[in-house]
Amino acid sequence: MPIDLEAAFRPVRIAVLTVSDTRTHANDKSGDALVELLTAAGHELADRAIVADDPELIVGKLHAWIDDESVDCVITTGGTGVTGRDVTPEALERVADKMIPGFGELFRWMSYAKIGTSTIQSRATACVARGTYVFALPGSTGAVRDGWDGILAHQLDSRHKPCNFVELMPRLTER
């Protein structure tokens, strides 16, 4: 997709949330990858946290960041599978004003080319919540890179044409 090199790049302030019962800051490779990717692209890391696979903890952290004017976007990693402890999509639904179904569909379509039918186990999803984008990616480092490189790097680049999520930010809370 084309990038308009004459347009100004507008950095997005992104918070990264790892959802896991076992990861710590010392071994959070997927969170580390997200931070590396977003900062290399010129965006700002607004905050970073790790919470357990608990819907109340996830919803609480999402509400805090959604209400924080210094956060434009949240990207989560983990908790998007189909096991009993995978509750990130349900947490997103609880904070969402509008779901973005195409995000998960596109993620799985791209993932299918790499991992075949195993992509059906991913419930990657996205929403808009009170003017803040929230994207939920699977917990593997490969999935994080695929989601960033294949979708988010483009849609969070204000120069991406024909359109991008950044240009819509001022209008997300319109009524």
Side-chain angles (χ1 to χ4, degrees), residues 1-84:
M1 296 295 129
I3 295 291
D4 181 355
L5 296 177
E6 294 181 19
F9 177 79
R10 290 184 292 179
V12 177
R13 298 167 300 187
I14 303 172
V16 172
L17 179 63
T18 299
V19 177
S20 175
D21 289 333
T22 59
R23 294 199 185 156
T24 66
H25 287 290
N27 66 6
D28 181 18
K29 292 180 182 177
S30 295
D32 291 343
L34 270 174
V35 170
E36 174 188 320
L37 291 164
L38 72 90
T39 56
H43 299 294
E44 299 173 23
L45 178 64
D47 202 357
R48 182 175 177 183
I50 298 174
V51 298
D53 292 280
D54 177 306
E56 299 308 319
L57 295 175
I58 299 166
V59 167
K61 180 50 80 176
L62 290 176
H63 276 306
W65 281 342
I66 291 164
D67 291 336
D68 185 339
E69 291 187 18
S70 70
V71 175
D72 300 316
C73 173
V74 176
I75 305 174
T76 73
T77 175
T80 63
V82 297
T83 70

Side-chain angles (χ1 to χ4, degrees), residues 22 60-61 121 127 144 168 172 175:
T22 59
K61 180 50 80 176
Q121 295 179 28
C127 71
V144 163
L168 299 175
L172 292 178
R175 296 281 172 206

Side-chain angles (χ1 to χ4, degrees), residues 84-139:
R85 297 289 294 162
D86 292 321
V87 295
T88 303
E90 290 79 12
L92 258 67
E93 289 174 5
R94 287 176 51 186
V95 302
D97 295 322
K98 291 185 179 186
M99 298 304 293
I100 307 173
F103 177 80
E105 294 162 0
L106 180 56
F107 177 84
R108 284 180 286 281
W109 177 77
M110 291 179 350
S111 180
Y112 181 78
K114 292 188 175 188
I115 65 170
T117 59
S118 295
T119 193
I120 200 78
Q121 295 179 28
S122 166
R123 297 185 306 139
T125 190
C127 71
V128 176
R130 298 188 306 280
T132 302
Y133 289 112
V134 184
F135 302 98
L137 294 170

